[in-house]
Amino acid sequence: MSSGEGGDLRVRVTTSLKTVPAGAWNACANPGALNAALGAACEPAAASLAGLDVDNPFVSHQFLRALEDSGCVGGRSGWSPAYLLVEDAAGALLAAAPSFLKSHSQGEYVFDHGWADAYERAGGRYYPKLQVAAPFTPATGPRLLVADGPRADEARTGLIAGLEALRAQTEASSVHVTFAQEPDIATLREAGYLERHDLQFHWRNEGFAAYDDFLATLASRKRKALKRERREALSAGITVEALSGSDLTEAVWDDFHSFYEDTGARKWGRPYLNRAFFSAVGAAMGERIVLMMAKRAGRYIAGAINFRGANTLYGRNWGCIEDHPFLHFELCYHQAIDYAIAHGLSRVEAGAQGEHKLARGYRPVITRSLHHLADPGLRRAVAHYLTGERQQIAQAQEALAAESPFRKAGDVHE
């Protein structure tokens, strides 16, 4: 595949990040973080104001490589790496996409099983499909990874052309770019991709100096309920530790993985992440992990893993081996808010779904994905469906926002 003026850009596919230098990949994945490291702080600051994270952990070489090395992707997982690379004539990496050929629709958190069933009942073949995503991670982030430079727009165009060429070569039915952010959304929309909306719940830091400052923004009844909830969560002599970096020993990962396996097996069957992944990701990027671990009677009994970006804490997986009222809320939501306030982070993304997050100060936020369907008939049907679904999502967001625990105008202060 080739693209670009003068034909000097090359678009190719690699099936392993072992062939891609980490520095080159990360310069595409998070160029804002590189700018900040070099002292050009203005662009990251502007991105932060726009609600973007200039150092997203889930598209980093370290995170994706940990998934690959541990066997969570590749092999028989149904996630076959097909990373798309755009290079110049000298072989310098200008852009990349974390793309995978999928033989199923699991681990994506943007559900298209209905599309697949309808298409196959009509005689079509939905799988394989091409997925551009951070596997098993319902967190917004860049998907068309483009390094800063004079050829950035050209390289981004090359990526989109490369995705279509790869789809055609592999006889995939479609391309799905999930949990996307700007400017990828606008670029893909212009390329004819269909836009899909969903809802998540994110917490926003309004310059709070302490958790009590956040509580002061809530209605009195809600404020008292959260204080009581936090007391009861720890009432059985439970303490909470926030572990990062060298604190993440193999013994700690053994405990956390046992929590994750137990809870995951009870909720959805075989969990996506294996024990080897946690060792690999801890070794590769432990300073960007915040593991909230609950301890009682001298042993860990529950944990919640978070990943830290430049301005966002991303809540991911949780598990426990003892059931205690409200402990899940404490570890996953309240402790995340505490950490974000203490470290000056602007947001907490608490993962997929969960209207119970609303009562804990998390606001309904629309997430977006983009979809290219090759079959014209399937495309028309999905486009019609998405028009109605977007309207429903907008209405749901408005209704949920109206039920938020925050003080309304005219509320009486205590």
Side-chain angles (χ1 to χ4, degrees), residues 288-366:
R288 303 182 69 183
I289 294 172
V290 183
L291 188 63
M292 303 296 183
M293 294 287 278
K295 180 177 283 186
R296 190 184 72 82
R299 69 164 186 162
Y300 291 125
I301 60 168
I305 189 171
N306 305 268
F307 288 79
R308 179 173 171 170
N311 60 16
T312 304
L313 189 68
Y314 300 91
R316 285 304 304 114
N317 310 107
W318 125 281
C320 66
I321 55 171
E322 290 185 10
D323 291 325
H324 294 273
F326 307 120
L327 184 57
H328 171 249
F329 301 146
E330 176 65 25
L331 285 188
C332 296
Y333 310 132
H334 300 309
Q335 289 288 331
I337 291 174
D338 283 344
Y339 185 93
I341 291 172
H343 292 83
L345 303 181
S346 60
R347 290 185 302 152
V348 177
E349 287 198 18
Q353 304 165 334
E355 292 185 10
H356 55 274
K357 299 167 187 171
L358 188 73
R360 281 132 196 114
Y362 289 71
R363 303 171 188 266
V365 174
I366 290 178

Side-chain angles (χ1 to χ4, degrees), residues 1 13 82 84 99 101 130 161-172:
M1 292 181 283
V13 174
L84 206 63
S99 40
L101 282 169
L130 189 58
L163 287 170
E164 173 54 20
L166 179 59
R167 185 209 61 74
Q169 288 179 4
T170 57
E171 298 184 337

Side-chain angles (χ1 to χ4, degrees), residues 13-370:
V13 174
T14 182
T15 59
S16 174
L17 282 186
K18 295 175 183 177
T19 68
V20 183
W25 178 278
N26 288 338
C28 296
N30 289 303
L34 179 61
N35 290 340
L38 296 174
C42 56
E43 291 184 21
S48 179
L49 290 173
L52 304 180
D53 192 336
V54 298
D55 195 8
N56 186 285
F58 303 117
V59 292
S60 70
H61 191 280
Q62 290 85 348
F63 183 83
L64 295 169
R65 179 73 186 269
L67 288 173
E68 184 181 323
D69 289 348
S70 62
C72 292
V73 300
R76 300 175 63 183
S77 68
W79 290 79
S80 297
Y83 305 115
L84 206 63
L85 309 176
V86 179
E87 299 168 328
D88 66 12
L93 186 63
L94 303 182
S99 40
F100 301 82
L101 282 169
K102 293 289 305 297
S103 60
H104 54 67
S105 290
Q106 299 170 9
E108 299 163 11
Y109 301 91
V110 176
F111 303 107
D112 63 346
H113 300 89
W115 304 359
D117 291 344
Y119 192 51
E120 294 186 357
R121 284 198 305 270
R125 186 169 66 96
Y126 195 73
Y127 304 106
K129 64 177 186 176
L130 189 58
Q131 190 82 24
V132 183
F136 321 120
T137 308
T140 52
R143 297 296 179 257
L144 304 179
L145 313 181
V146 182
D148 285 343
R151 306 191 73 178
D153 291 341
E154 190 181 352
R156 182 176 281 107
T157 300
L159 275 182
I160 295 175
L163 287 170
E164 173 54 20
L166 179 59
R167 185 209 61 74
Q169 288 179 4
T170 57
E171 298 184 337
S173 69
S174 46
V175 183
H176 306 266
V177 183
T178 45
F179 297 101
Q181 67 181 33
E182 297 292 2
D184 299 342
I185 294 170
T187 303
L188 291 165
R189 194 188 297 125
E190 290 172 6
Y193 281 60
L194 303 177
E195 184 171 349
R196 189 176 194 185
H197 292 179
D198 202 351
L199 281 178
Q200 285 189 352
F201 296 87
H202 299 172
W203 180 83
R204 187 169 69 227
N205 190 349
E206 298 176 350
F208 304 125
Y211 185 81
D212 283 344
D213 296 336
F214 157 65
L215 285 181
T217 66
L218 307 184
S220 174
R221 181 171 59 87
K222 300 294 186 179
R223 186 165 62 245
K224 292 176 181 177
L226 291 191
K227 287 182 176 180
R228 181 173 62 254
E229 178 174 287
R230 297 200 70 178
R231 287 195 303 269
E232 292 186 19
L234 305 179
S235 62
I238 296 171
T239 57
V240 177
E241 299 174 2
L243 308 180
S244 293
S246 60
D247 299 328
L248 301 172
T249 65
E250 290 302 299
V252 167
W253 285 129
D254 284 341
D255 286 336
F256 178 73
H257 182 254
S258 70
F259 308 154
Y260 168 71
E261 281 275 328
D262 182 75
T263 299
R266 285 188 281 113
K267 290 179 64 176
W268 60 78
R270 187 174 68 88
Y272 298 124
L273 303 174
N274 58 30
R275 173 64 182 83
F277 167 76
F278 293 108
S279 288
V281 80
M285 51 191 301
E287 295 300 331
R288 303 182 69 183
I289 294 172
V290 183
L291 188 63
M292 303 296 183
M293 294 287 278
K295 180 177 283 186
R296 190 184 72 82
R299 69 164 186 162
Y300 291 125
I301 60 168
I305 189 171
N306 305 268
F307 288 79
R308 179 173 171 170
N311 60 16
T312 304
L313 189 68
Y314 300 91
R316 285 304 304 114
N317 310 107
W318 125 281
C320 66
I321 55 171
E322 290 185 10
D323 291 325
H324 294 273
F326 307 120
L327 184 57
H328 171 249
F329 301 146
E330 176 65 25
L331 285 188
C332 296
Y333 310 132
H334 300 309
Q335 289 288 331
I337 291 174
D338 283 344
Y339 185 93
I341 291 172
H343 292 83
L345 303 181
S346 60
R347 290 185 302 152
V348 177
E349 287 198 18
Q353 304 165 334
E355 292 185 10
H356 55 274
K357 299 167 187 171
L358 188 73
R360 281 132 196 114
Y362 289 71
R363 303 171 188 266
V365 174
I366 290 178
T367 59
R368 292 168 169 82
S369 59
L370 288 302

